[in-house]
Amino acid sequence: MTEPAIRTRELRKSYGDVQALDGLDLTVDRGEFFGLLGPNGAGKTTFINALVGLVHKDSGSAEVFGFDVEDDYREARDRIGLAPQEFNVDRFFPIIEVLEHKAGYHGIGSADARRRAEEALKTVGIWEKRDTRFDWLSGGMKRRFVLARALVSNPDLLILDEPTAGVDVQLRHDLWEIINRMNDAGTTILLTTHYIEEAERLCDRVAIMDSGRKVEVAAPDDLMSRGTDTIDIELADPIPTAPQLDVEGVTEVAVTDDGLSVTAAGGSQTAPALMRALERQGHTVTSLDIRRASLEEVFVDLTRDDREYAEVSA
Amino acid sequence: MSRDHPAGDDGHDGRLTDGGAASAADTATADQRGAPTGIRARLVGLWTLLHREILRYVRRPRNTFLPPMITNVLYFTVFGVVLGERISGGDPNAFGGAGYILFILPGLVVLGMISNAFENASFSIFHGRWNEYIHEVLTSPLSHTEMVLAYVAASSLRGIVVGCIIWGVGLVFTSVTVANPFYLVAFMIVIPTLFAAFGVIGGLWARDFDYLTVMNQFIIRPLVFFGAVFYPLSALSGVWRDVTLLNPMVYMVNGVRYGVIPEATDLSPDLSLAVLTGLTVVVIALDIALVKRGYGLVD
C-alpha cells in the first residue's frame, strides 16, 4: 500500500499550559499541494517542527511517507526539504558552500552536491551571488536562498513555512512559479501562509487549524461554497423596508439605496428563487450581482466558530 | 477558484536533476529514492559535517591558531628564558635534568589542546543554536552518533593542531627528544578528544555566551594551572600534594611529559591513559544520549 506523504494521528504537544498541538489528525496525499491556514499560535509551525525533528511530540504519531518521524527519523528527514519562516542559515560560509553542505548531510557526494547547489541557485535566480555570505544578501534574496536550500536535496516533500512573508509581488509570483514546477514534477508541497489568496491560487486542499486542532480540510472551492454569498439586487422601485422572503438559503435581507442586499448560502443556486419571490411580491429586478464568499471570509468564520466552541466547552 | 499552476517557460520541471534532465529516479517514489542507509551515504554525511567544522576554524587562523602561538611565545619568554634559571636555582639536575622550558612545555601543550578542543566544540554548537543554523544539521538525515562524532573529531583535531603548534614554538626555545612516542601520541589524541566531548556538553548546556567564558576561564584554566604545569609534584608536600592529585589535569600533563622527559614525571602513565580513554568513551556516549534526547536543541 502506498503511504501518504504525511499522516498524523492524535498528535499532541504542549509548552507548559499552552497546548500547541491538541490531537491533530491530518493526512496529506502524495503529490498534493496542501495548504495549512490558521491564525498566529494555531500550531502550524509546531506541526512542521514535529515533522522535521525540531520538536519532540508528547504523544500521538507522525509519519512521512510511512516513516515515523522519531523512530525512522533518518529516512523521514531525507525525504523532506524545509524552507522555514526564520532565516536559520549558516553564516560562516558562502551560500553555495552552505548548499553543498546541506546536500552532503543527505549523503550526496561532493561533485553531485556542487552540481545540485549550482542548479538550486540558478533555479531561484541568485546564481551570481553564489560566493556571498547569507548576511550580505537582500531580504528577497534571503527568501530565495532558503527555498534553494530546501530544494538542494531534491526532496519528495517540500515544506514551506510562510515562504512569501514580507516579499514583494514580483518575488511572490517567482516563488509561486518555482514551487508549482516542483509540484508538477511530483513533489508534495506543504505550505503554510497568511495570504489566503496564495492558498486559493495554489493549493489542491487546505486545512484550517486553530488552537492546535484541525478545524476543516477541503479544497478551496469546497470551502468557499460553504460560505455565505452576498447578492446585490437593484430594484426598479426601491423600497423602504426589507420584504419577507421565504427562500431556502437566505439568511439576511437588508435594504440599500437602490434595492436589496441579500446574504445567502450558495448564491448562484438561490438567485433564481429569490428573483421569483421578489416578482411575486410585485418588485421588478433590474440587475443582480452575486459576490462569492472568499476563502478569507470562510477562514474567519471557521476559526471564530471554533473559538466559540472551545470557550463553550471550557 | 481553480488551482493555478503556471508552467515554467524554460521547460524546467522544477526538481533538481543530474545534468538538467529529469531522471526516472528523480521522479520515482519516495520509497525508492536513496535513503541514506548505505554505508557510503552515511560516511558522506559524516564527512561533510566534519569537513564543515574543520573548514570553519582552518579558514580563520588569526582567530584560531595565531592566539595560542603568541600566548605560548610569551609563556616561554617569561617563564622559560627570564625566570627559568631562577626557578631551577642553577641546578642542572632540576626537572629531571631537562631544563625548565622543556619541563613546562608538555603542560603548555595540554593547556592549549584542551582549551582549543573545548572552546571549538562548545562555541560551534552554541553559536549554531544561538543563530539556529544548527537546524540545518538537525533536520538532515545524519544520525545522532554521526553528529556527535563530527563535532568531537573536528574539535579534537583543532586541539591536536594547536598542540603541535606549541611544540613548534617550544622547539625555538629548547631542544626536544621524544622518549616514548606511543605515550606522547596517545595522550595527544585522547586529551583533546575528551575535552572536545566535554565541549559538546558545554555547547548544549550554555544559555548565552557568558556560559562559555565561565567554563573556559573559571573551570578549565584554573585546573590546568594547578595541574603541575609549572612545577613538579615533588615540589608539593602534605595536603597540597594530596589535593593536587585529585585534579585530573595532573595525570594529563604527566602523561604528555612522560613522552618527552620520563625522568621528570611523578606518576605512571598507563593507568592515566586507561582512565582517560575510558572517560572519553563515556563522555562521548553521554553526548550522543543528550543529542538524541534533544537537550538544548529541540523543544
Side-chain angles (χ1 to χ4, degrees), chain B:
Chain B
M1 184 183 289
S2 63
R3 184 176 153 219
D4 177 15
H5 279 196
D9 56 8
D10 58 356
H12 197 300
D13 76 351
R15 291 184 69 132
L16 304 185
T17 61
D18 295 328
S23 68
D26 286 328
T27 51
T29 69
D31 305 315
Q32 294 167 341
R33 72 189 294 272
T37 50
I39 186 69
R40 185 183 172 280
R42 298 191 72 147
L43 289 174
V44 167
L46 173 62
W47 165 248
T48 302
L49 182 56
L50 177 62
H51 187 235
R52 184 260 170 212
E53 286 296 305
I54 292 171
L55 281 181
R56 191 187 66 77
Y57 59 75
V58 166
R59 287 187 182 170
R60 288 162 187 77
R62 281 184 300 179
N63 300 79
T64 53
F65 297 132
L66 192 59
M69 186 183 293
I70 292 173
T71 302
N72 281 278
V73 167
L74 294 174
Y75 277 137
F76 287 124
T77 303
V78 174
F79 290 102
V81 177
V82 178
L83 298 175
E85 281 295 309
R86 297 181 190 182
I87 292 171
S88 63
D91 178 3
N93 295 318
F95 311 111
Y100 190 61
I101 294 179
L102 183 56
F103 178 77
I104 64 173
L105 179 52
L108 294 177
V109 167
V110 171
L111 174 61
M113 287 195 302
I114 65 174
S115 296
N116 279 271
F118 182 88
E119 182 188 320
N120 192 79
S122 58
F123 175 82
S124 189
I125 289 177
F126 178 71
H127 194 262
R129 289 173 54 216
W130 187 261
N131 292 291
E132 296 189 338
Y133 63 78
I134 202 168
H135 292 179
E136 288 179 359
V137 177
L138 296 177
T139 60
S140 75
L142 288 169
S143 72
H144 305 122
T145 302
E146 288 159 1
M147 291 179 203
V148 168
L149 290 181
Y151 283 114
V152 169
S155 300
S156 176
L157 182 62
R158 175 170 161 184
I160 292 168
V161 171
V162 168
C164 292
I165 288 172
I166 297 171
W167 280 117
V169 173
L171 283 171
V172 174
F173 291 86
T174 186
S175 60
V176 178
T177 303
V178 177
N180 294 299
F182 167 77
Y183 288 104
L184 182 63
V185 171
F187 276 100
M188 283 196 63
I189 292 173
V190 171
I191 292 168
T193 304
L194 173 60
F195 278 85
F198 277 128
V200 170
I201 296 173
L204 295 173
W205 171 70
R207 295 294 173 264
D208 59 45
F209 283 98
D210 289 340
Y211 280 60
L212 302 184
T213 306
V214 166
M215 286 185 280
N216 212 346
Q217 297 293 337
F218 295 105
I219 299 174
I220 291 178
R221 281 180 185 266
L223 283 175
V224 173
F225 272 80
F226 287 107
V229 172
F230 297 103
Y231 50 82
L233 276 177
S234 56
L236 302 174
S237 59
V239 68
W240 291 112
R241 182 182 163 87
D242 295 338
V243 169
T244 301
L245 286 173
L246 296 175
N247 182 351
M249 303 298 174
V250 170
Y251 304 91
M252 299 180 203
V253 173
N254 195 77
V256 176
R257 191 174 282 148
Y258 189 82
V260 288
I261 39 174
E263 57 275 13
T265 57
D266 309 283
L267 304 162
S268 166
D270 294 317
L271 182 62
S272 303
L273 187 58
V275 171
L276 287 174
T277 303
L279 188 58
T280 302
V281 172
V282 169
V283 178
I284 289 175
L286 180 60
D287 290 345
I288 294 168
L290 289 173
V291 170
K292 186 174 184 179
R293 192 179 142 204
Y295 175 74
L297 297 169
V298 172
D299 290 330

Side-chain angles (χ1 to χ4, degrees), chain A residues 10 20 41 45 57 64 70-71 83 108 116 133 151 157 192 214 227 257 268 273 299 311:
Chain A
E10 284 292 306
T45 300
K57 62 182 165 56
V64 172
E70 292 190 359
D71 294 339
I108 298 164
R116 284 174 187 239
R133 288 195 206 174
L151 301 180
L157 170 62
T192 77
K214 177 184 70 181
D257 290 343
S268 51
F299 169 78
E311 284 168 12

